[in-house]
Amino acid sequence: MQKPMGKPHKPTVAVVKFASCDGCQLTLLNCEEELLALADRIEFAHFAEASSDLRPGPYDLAIVEGSISTPKDLHRIVELRAQSKKLITIGACATAGGVQALRNFADYEEFKKAVYASPEMIESLAESSPIAQHVQVDFELRGCPVDKHQLIEVVLAMGSGRRPKTSTECVCQPCKRRGTVCVVVAQKKACLGPVTQAGCGAICPAYDRGCYACFGPASQTNMQALSEGLLLNQMSNTQAAMFLQSFHPASPEFQGESRRLEESPRRLWQLQPPSRS
Amino acid sequence: MSQPRSIRVPILTRVEGEGALNIRLCGSRIEQIELNIYEPPRFFEALLRGRPIEDVADITSRICGICPIAYQVTAVQALETILGIRIPEPIAALRRLVYCAEWIESHVLHIHLLHAPDFFDCHSGIELARKFPDQVKRGLKLKQLGNRILEVLGGRAIHPINIAIGGFYRLPKTSQLTDLIPELQKALQESIDAARWLGNLPFPDFTAPYHYVSLIDADRYPIESGRVAIGPDQTIGLEIFETHFQEFQVPHSTALQSKFLGTDGASTEYFVGPMARLYHNQERLGPQAKRLADELRFDARRCNPYQSILARAIEVVHAFEEALRIVQALQDGRLGGLAPRVSSEPHAGIGMSATEAPRGLIFHRYQIDDVGNVVFAKIVPPTSQNQARIEADLRLLLEQIHRDSDPSIALACERLVRCYDPCISCSTHFLKVNIQRE
């Protein structure tokens, strides 16, 4: 395509993937008509899932999906950072290691043997880690997957140099606004809503199930109160630890609390469980 | 042209996930052709062990953001066989409906944004939209409706949260479904127009000896159940799936490859996906999809992988017909008063399930213990099954084009690989084209 001349500079954007399911960058493609409008305002200079026209850096903005889990990716992320004025991460893998960081809690060598007949051929790291552990990150957008509207807001804000407006409250607040009857109170369901970052639209309680924290920890959490007040009255320490170790297992909040629960010899919550009537 | 040359194309694009293609040519001799999948392994089968069975659908969906329903439905069905759960008919219909929605969003995405640009020499769907704004916008609208059905039934389009063992966490209101009818009727017509737009594409002349494998589901087009067709008149049950389809590891890929082991002991590459489904089931398509397939003179026996774009377009029409049929049947209010899921007590056992993901047959097997925790998991996704076949096809293509320039070889190889709609995130992952000439 011919580039129109004399128009203002469109910010150049690279969308780059590490260990992930592709779902977060798919969210960009799911913007459908908004995607075409977005493409008028920013220049996708490197977006391998969408375009075979891959241009080298430097870029105004790098959008990173996925976690760091191989020696090669350790180098790639450092190179990408050097090429990018701003770098943001999208999704649970990039901001908290993703579901694949469950291996951080396990015997990695045994994991390799369980999946591959010749584990020695597999080049990967014992831990899956968030991008911010390796390079400076200018903004982290949470979610597994990220929310489409938040993603558009972040991309446009970063492209024009302002701070993105995204919610920092916990899932309980949008859940109340949505008018959902609390699944903890009414159905005695285990729910991580009180410690989970909003942004999904509080979907799970609206579908009669507890939140499983796919948007990661909220900005201010009281993890201990959650496990002792809400989880341990209906599950064991091990089960509660596992509930917290799902899609953001490498986030300090969930990792810390799940380790604390696992290391406790017995149930922490010693009072009578609330009546189920 | 016999001078030693080394060519490197950095990344295979417009596929999901990351990998490379390594080609070594010596004159006209192809010394090596490897689909080098280097996507980081994520060890799903290992990390599922010890988790409660309720987590399996949520965790396996994270294997792939494009086809999460395939993972969720296959997983819960496998677990339901262990628990002896039989799903009531209206809930089974909703499962099929949400699966149709995934076919729609996945196929329409691949057709318009990933595959069609190759036929018009565009780098991307965005560029294609500048040449064919109406056609691409029509595609995006069809995709949007697929996503909307996923949102109604699944809570959201990517990694839906509503698929549960025994049914759903919550059933939709009948009115939420009937509201979809006018849009589905319109989309069905538009999907037929979209397929006609693709009908006259200049398909390269290429055929390969395909061993097509797909499910066959009595008189229905196969989606979420069926027996495995391994030959023109031969099907097998899932209990011997692993006897005939064996996974093995190759040094150049973090995705396990898979081959078909015949009764005579010979092993061959095989091919799963829309072309395979149509090969075994074209007569089972919905009436409009079937008429369209005839009108386009689509014939999977031609074994031309470039025509997979037509196979997908025909299946999109079928998925809209099927979605409309299901929604219309549920109008009578039979969902009312139904429990969203069948409950059960855990007990130890082994269960498996195979369904048709957008990219082809997917197989899951789980073993669980008495308290309902996973002991063992095995997941065979479509793209890893197609890997060996893709390599064999690239070899055939290279025999025809090895005299071409390196950039044109790289482009042709990349285009051929895209025909399979490889999902490397699923298979573990994909693509760089490295060509070495000696």
Side-chain angles (χ1 to χ4, degrees):
Chain A
M1 290 291 290
Q2 283 287 318
K3 269 194 187 159
M5 299 298 289
K7 289 213 171 161
H9 169 74
K10 285 203 275 186
T12 53
V13 174
V15 183
V16 181
K17 175 181 152 45
F18 293 86
S20 66
C21 77
D22 268 49
C24 290
Q25 43 176 324
L26 178 68
T27 306
L28 268 177
L29 298 181
N30 273 359
C31 291
E32 279 125 20
E33 289 207 30
E34 289 146 297
L35 172 71
L36 301 181
L38 202 60
D40 287 336
R41 297 178 58 177
I42 58 173
E43 187 80 45
F44 287 112
H46 189 293
F47 187 179
E49 185 169 337
S51 172
S52 47
D53 180 18
L54 301 179
R55 276 164 271 160
Y59 309 109
D60 292 315
L61 176 65
I63 301 176
V64 177
E65 172 191 282
S67 68
I68 301 302
S69 70
T70 66
K72 273 186 193 149
D73 283 353
L74 269 172
H75 293 287
R76 274 174 69 211
I77 189 62
V78 172
E79 277 171 30
L80 180 68
R81 176 70 258 195
Q83 291 285 317
S84 311
K85 277 190 207 156
K86 297 269 183 201
L87 184 147
I88 63 169
T89 59
I90 57 169
C93 299
T95 55
V99 67
Q100 59 271 22
L102 284 172
R103 72 167 179 256
N104 304 3
F105 295 80
D107 177 351
Y108 168 64
E109 290 303 322
E110 192 278 326
F111 258 43
K112 276 207 290 193
K113 280 185 208 146
V115 178
Y116 295 99
S118 308
E120 70 284 356
M121 293 182 198
I122 297 301
E123 264 187 40
S124 105
L125 298 168
E127 296 212 339
S128 164
S129 51
I131 301 298
Q133 199 168 309
H134 307 284
V135 297
Q136 193 214 324
V137 173
D138 297 295
F139 188 82
E140 292 185 319
L141 183 63
R142 293 180 181 278
C144 183
V146 293
D147 175 76
K148 176 170 125 174
H149 305 288
Q150 286 197 339
L151 180 61
I152 294 174
E153 160 62 14
V154 171
V155 172
L156 289 179
M158 297 305 291
S160 59
R162 67 176 169 82
R163 181 146 188 92
K165 282 179 252 166
T166 53
S167 157
T168 55
E169 56 191 12
C170 72
V171 168
C172 292
Q173 283 144 313
C175 191
K176 296 288 161 294
R177 290 198 293 271
R178 190 171 171 153
T180 305
V181 176
C182 179
V183 296
V184 178
V185 175
Q187 302 183 52
K188 298 266 180 289
K189 288 195 167 146
C191 180
L192 299 180
V195 294
T196 301
Q197 162 83 59
C200 60
I203 308 166
C204 286
Y207 280 76
D208 282 336
R209 63 178 296 196
C211 163
Y212 63 85
C214 66
F215 269 60
S219 60
Q220 289 179 315
T221 57
N222 188 340
M223 298 300 298
Q224 198 168 332
L226 175 97
S227 26
E228 294 182 22
L230 286 182
L231 301 182
L232 293 176
N233 56 3
Q234 42 191 325
M235 53 177 82
S236 69
N237 278 24
T238 315
Q239 288 168 325
M242 203 170 267
F243 193 29
L244 292 171
Q245 288 167 12
S246 53
F247 301 99
H248 294 71
S251 75
E253 294 87 345
F254 289 171
Q255 182 165 325
E257 182 61 10
S258 59
R259 287 231 155 101
R260 190 183 72 86
L261 286 165
E262 277 177 334
E263 283 155 16
S264 312
R266 61 201 156 80
R267 285 170 57 137
L268 292 169
W269 205 77
Q270 294 295 330
L271 304 175
Q272 285 295 309
S275 153
R276 289 186 173 244
S277 61
Chain B
M1 289 301 280
S2 59
Q3 286 297 311
R5 283 188 296 171
S6 178
I7 315 153
R8 184 180 163 84
V9 179
I11 301 174
L12 186 87
T13 56
R14 303 208 313 275
V15 297
E16 289 99 22
E18 300 189 311
L21 193 59
N22 296 324
I23 299 166
R24 201 166 56 234
L25 291 170
C26 186
S28 62
R29 202 170 71 244
I30 304 154
E31 292 211 320
Q32 178 202 40
I33 177 119
E34 283 178 354
L35 199 58
N36 171 211
I37 292 187
Y38 60 85
E39 178 92 20
R42 292 187 291 149
F43 308 104
F44 276 94
E45 287 147 315
L47 59 84
L48 281 166
R49 293 171 308 169
R51 305 285 304 198
I53 51 174
E54 291 78 16
D55 289 0
V56 176
D58 295 327
I59 291 180
T60 54
S61 106
R62 266 68 183 186
I63 292 174
C64 177
I66 295 111
C67 55
I69 289 291
Y71 286 91
Q72 296 188 330
V73 170
T74 314
V76 296
Q77 286 185 167
L79 295 166
E80 283 160 2
T81 63
I82 304 176
L83 302 173
I85 294 175
R86 284 186 64 90
I87 303 287
E89 188 277 323
I91 293 182
L94 286 179
R95 286 249 177 100
R96 193 167 168 88
L97 175 61
V98 75
Y99 218 135
C100 285
E102 179 159 287
W103 277 23
I104 293 167
E105 67 80 21
S106 174
H107 279 357
V108 174
L109 168 81
H110 189 261
I111 291 168
H112 292 84
L113 295 182
L114 309 185
H115 200 184
D118 278 341
F119 294 97
F120 299 100
D121 286 321
C122 292
H123 291 297
S124 68
I126 294 168
E127 195 182 323
L128 185 68
R130 293 188 189 118
K131 286 189 185 171
F132 297 94
D134 297 339
Q135 288 85 343
V136 174
K137 277 182 189 162
R138 176 180 60 205
L140 292 175
K141 270 200 189 117
L142 295 174
K143 183 170 171 324
Q144 210 164 20
L145 184 55
N147 281 344
R148 241 198 79 204
I149 302 169
L150 281 162
E151 283 160 15
V152 169
L153 287 169
R156 63 182 168 200
I158 302 173
H159 303 323
I161 53 86
N162 198 24
I163 309 295
I165 296 170
F168 291 86
Y169 286 96
R170 184 177 196 149
L171 294 182
K173 291 194 195 98
T174 303
S175 64
Q176 284 178 288
L177 299 176
T178 46
D179 284 353
L180 295 167
I181 291 175
E183 281 177 79
L184 282 170
Q185 285 167 330
K186 191 165 167 247
L188 174 57
Q189 279 317 308
E190 289 186 337
S191 67
I192 293 170
D193 296 342
R196 286 185 176 135
W197 174 52
L198 302 165
N200 295 319
L201 292 176
F203 297 109
D205 187 18
F206 179 89
T207 57
Y210 288 142
H211 182 103
Y212 286 122
V213 172
S214 88
L215 294 180
I216 287 188
D217 190 8
D219 51 350
R220 308 194 298 178
Y221 199 78
I223 300 180
E224 80 287 15
S225 59
R227 288 171 62 82
V228 183
I230 56 170
D233 293 303
Q234 212 184 349
T235 65
I236 58 163
L238 291 187
E239 65 289 348
I240 53 166
F241 179 87
E242 288 163 281
T243 317
H244 284 289
F245 297 95
Q246 296 188 340
E247 286 186 299
F248 58 96
Q249 190 180 358
V250 290
H252 58 270
S253 175
T254 50
L256 300 174
Q257 293 200 357
S258 193
K259 283 207 175 166
F260 171 72
L261 201 63
T263 36
D264 56 355
S267 79
T268 52
E269 304 85 18
Y270 62 102
F271 188 9
V272 300
M275 298 259 290
R277 285 193 290 259
L278 278 165
Y279 174 80
H280 289 292
N281 300 281
Q282 190 156 335
E283 72 285 2
R284 297 183 186 90
L285 284 168
Q288 304 209 48
K290 200 167 154 191
R291 240 189 338 265
L292 179 78
D294 293 342
E295 179 194 318
L296 298 176
R297 287 198 282 274
F298 178 83
D299 188 348
R301 287 172 300 185
R302 242 178 259 136
C303 295
N304 182 340
Y306 296 93
Q307 295 190 347
S308 66
I309 194 168
L310 290 183
R312 279 183 202 96
I314 292 164
E315 285 198 337
V316 170
V317 174
H318 175 79
F320 275 120
E321 269 191 277
E322 188 69 358
L324 192 57
R325 188 189 62 76
I326 292 169
V327 170
Q328 282 170 334
L330 291 172
Q331 273 186 108
D332 61 6
R334 70 181 83 168
L335 283 177
L338 208 61
R341 62 194 147 127
V342 179
S343 60
S344 62
E345 287 301 314
H347 59 80
I350 294 174
M352 48 204 124
S353 172
T355 68
E356 285 288 346
R359 287 163 192 78
L361 189 138
I362 179 168
F363 173 85
H364 287 210
R365 173 162 63 88
Y366 298 96
Q367 183 184 350
I368 68 172
D369 64 17
D370 264 326
V371 290
N373 290 329
V374 176
V375 175
F376 174 86
K378 176 173 175 173
I379 297 166
V380 185
T383 295
S384 56
Q385 299 178 77
N386 277 344
Q387 270 190 97
R389 187 60 250 172
I390 299 175
E391 287 182 355
D393 275 12
L394 285 164
R395 188 172 281 279
L396 288 174
L397 179 68
L398 276 168
E399 282 168 9
Q400 295 176 9
I401 64 168
H402 65 267
R403 285 190 187 81
D404 294 359
S405 71
D406 291 357
S408 89
I409 288 178
L411 182 66
C413 288
E414 208 182 359
R415 284 180 172 178
L416 179 60
V417 172
R418 272 198 285 271
C419 294
Y420 293 87
D421 188 8
C423 183
I424 298 157
S425 313
C426 280
S427 69
T428 309
H429 307 309
F430 210 36
L431 242 137
K432 255 179 212 167
V433 184
N434 300 321
I435 304 177
Q436 286 178 26
R437 298 205 195 224
E438 282 163 12

